[in-house]
Amino acid sequence: MNDQRREPGQASGQTSGQISGQTSLADIAAEAGVSVSTVSRIANGDLGRASAATVAKVQRLIAERGYRPNPVGRSLRGGDSRLVAMLAPNLDNPAMAAIAASTEAALRAAGYVMILCDTHDRPDLQDEYLRAMRSRFAEGFIVVSAVASPELEASLDRREPIVFVNRRNPYGGGPFIGIDNRQAGADAADHLLACGVRAPAVIHPADLSSTIRERVEGFLDRLEERRPGMAVRRCDGPGGNHLDCGYAAAKRLTADGGWPDGILCPSDLMAYGLFRAAGEQGVRIPDDCRPVGIDDNDLNDWIAPWLSSVKIPYQRFGDAIVTSLRDLRGGNSVGEVLLPHRLVRRQSGPAMAGDPA
């Protein structure tokens, strides 16, 4: 696996509870012009007893000065916290929920307690949770689908143990658990070509994450490789979640050229949105248009027998995450872990009888 990253682990001689650069509560308080008790409350997540301006100033100074609580005080509270924080967006997404369930089980088996925080894909919430979990002595962070944010960058500069999942470190390098998203897109293209699709298309969210971009690029590159010059229609859709994005993108695509005979939906939720749009227009899925998704969440066997999808082994993420986190805390070099995926083909009705095995 590739291992082009910042050197992992903590700075030489630094423990998870050490005061980085010998910065103290008193130092922060003096610079902010407030009492030590005010700084202590804010550092420990009690934000309701100071003005918003004071909270912002103290949090900025804590981040800039790299303040970490004294390990002596921490030991008086009972030693290592055994707490690990997972930050993930949109927990109503079955993929996010599956990652969280797998990770919680693996951490529990290893003797840790997981705290789960929903960032809603917002940098400000991601930063708020990073600060709050640090003040509660989290021993490590698992950031699912990270976005660039000031506190994340500061945490990386302090060499805090952070494992990135599903979406790579936005600042480059670092331990990563996921799949080869480009290859997943290529496999989806191979599937549609094997099914005889001649007029393919792809839909995706208007705001492209690195993960979705890699899937779409892998799909388009494989089609160009195997069918040079093949016209591939592409349309994005707005929306607060992938269901809305899929629905909106499908309606926009079909309003401008009609329905394709095959289409990549880079997440299963987008395929569900497309399915609704098709039903409203009297289009039979998969007879008239054959979608292929990426995720293959467990709901598909129950509600989407029409959807072939690239299966991501979310149940295996937890063990890989815990192993990477342990290696990070041990000061070992940690790179990427790309877990194997596979295409799950589904059939629905006589029109699908010729679908390849």
Side-chain angles (χ1 to χ4, degrees), residues 42-65:
I42 294 172
N44 285 283
D46 182 359
L47 310 181
R49 300 170 63 182
S51 69
T54 296
V55 169
K57 180 189 293 185
V58 170
Q59 289 180 334
R60 176 178 57 80
L61 289 170
I62 287 172
E64 290 177 354
R65 304 297 178 263

Side-chain angles (χ1 to χ4, degrees), residues 216-246:
V216 170
E217 290 175 351
F219 178 79
L220 296 173
D221 288 348
R222 179 57 60 89
L223 289 178
E224 178 62 24
E225 174 190 337
R226 294 193 53 190
R227 299 288 191 276
M230 171 181 268
V232 184
R233 295 165 59 207
R234 178 174 175 175
C235 191
D236 61 33
N241 59 58
H242 280 200
L243 282 169
D244 294 335
C245 289

Side-chain angles (χ1 to χ4, degrees), residues 37-331:
S37 61
T38 295
V39 175
S40 177
R41 285 195 298 270
I42 294 172
N44 285 283
D46 182 359
L47 310 181
R49 300 170 63 182
S51 69
T54 296
V55 169
K57 180 189 293 185
V58 170
Q59 289 180 334
R60 176 178 57 80
L61 289 170
I62 287 172
E64 290 177 354
R65 304 297 178 263
Y67 170 75
R68 299 300 302 276
N70 192 315
V72 174
R74 177 176 177 174
S75 67
L76 291 175
R77 292 176 173 87
D80 290 345
S81 69
R82 309 302 288 173
L83 293 178
V84 172
M86 170 177 273
L87 282 60
N90 308 320
L91 294 176
D92 55 349
N93 183 329
M96 297 297 105
I99 294 172
S102 170
T103 305
E104 188 279 331
L107 283 168
R108 178 161 34 86
Y112 288 88
V113 173
M114 185 179 88
I115 299 177
L116 181 59
C117 309
D118 192 336
T119 66
H120 298 280
D121 236 356
R122 287 171 45 187
D124 59 326
L125 282 181
Q126 179 176 278
D127 279 356
E128 181 179 327
Y129 282 128
L130 283 169
R131 287 189 292 264
M133 293 301 101
R134 184 183 303 109
S135 73
R136 284 159 175 77
F137 312 116
E139 296 186 18
F141 299 93
I142 300 161
V143 185
V144 184
S145 299
V147 292
S149 67
E151 187 63 28
L152 177 62
E153 186 173 18
S155 296
L156 291 167
D157 288 340
R158 289 193 292 266
R159 295 177 178 265
E160 294 174 352
I162 301 176
V163 175
F164 294 91
V165 181
N166 195 57
R167 192 184 296 166
R168 289 178 173 82
N169 176 3
Y171 297 100
F176 169 73
I177 311 296
I179 66 165
D180 185 337
N181 286 294
R182 286 182 176 274
Q183 185 59 50
D187 292 346
D190 288 338
H191 169 69
L192 291 185
L193 291 177
C195 292
V197 167
R198 298 179 180 276
V202 56
I203 58 174
H204 55 76
D207 295 325
L208 275 177
S209 69
S210 59
T211 298
I212 298 297
R213 181 182 296 108
E214 289 170 3
R215 294 174 184 179
V216 170
E217 290 175 351
F219 178 79
L220 296 173
D221 288 348
R222 179 57 60 89
L223 289 178
E224 178 62 24
E225 174 190 337
R226 294 193 53 190
R227 299 288 191 276
M230 171 181 268
V232 184
R233 295 165 59 207
R234 178 174 175 175
C235 191
D236 61 33
N241 59 58
H242 280 200
L243 282 169
D244 294 335
C245 289
Y247 178 77
K251 295 195 74 171
R252 290 179 59 188
L253 178 75
T254 56
D256 184 22
W259 280 85
D261 60 350
I263 188 165
L264 170 68
C265 303
S267 74
D268 286 354
L269 288 183
M270 291 201 72
Y272 300 164
L274 174 137
F275 184 79
R276 176 172 176 175
E280 291 176 354
Q281 297 182 28
V283 173
R284 300 172 303 162
I285 301 291
D287 298 7
D288 301 329
C289 174
R290 188 184 300 263
V292 57
I294 298 179
D295 278 330
D296 194 48
N297 69 71
D298 292 341
L299 291 174
N300 287 350
D301 287 334
W302 294 89
I303 67 172
W306 44 267
L307 181 62
S308 294
S309 184
V310 174
K311 188 170 191 65
I312 300 176
Y314 292 123
Q315 75 282 359
R316 295 180 55 184
F317 275 41
D319 287 340
I321 290 168
V322 170
T323 298
S324 291
L325 193 59
R326 278 176 162 169
D327 286 345
L328 266 183
R329 287 179 53 77

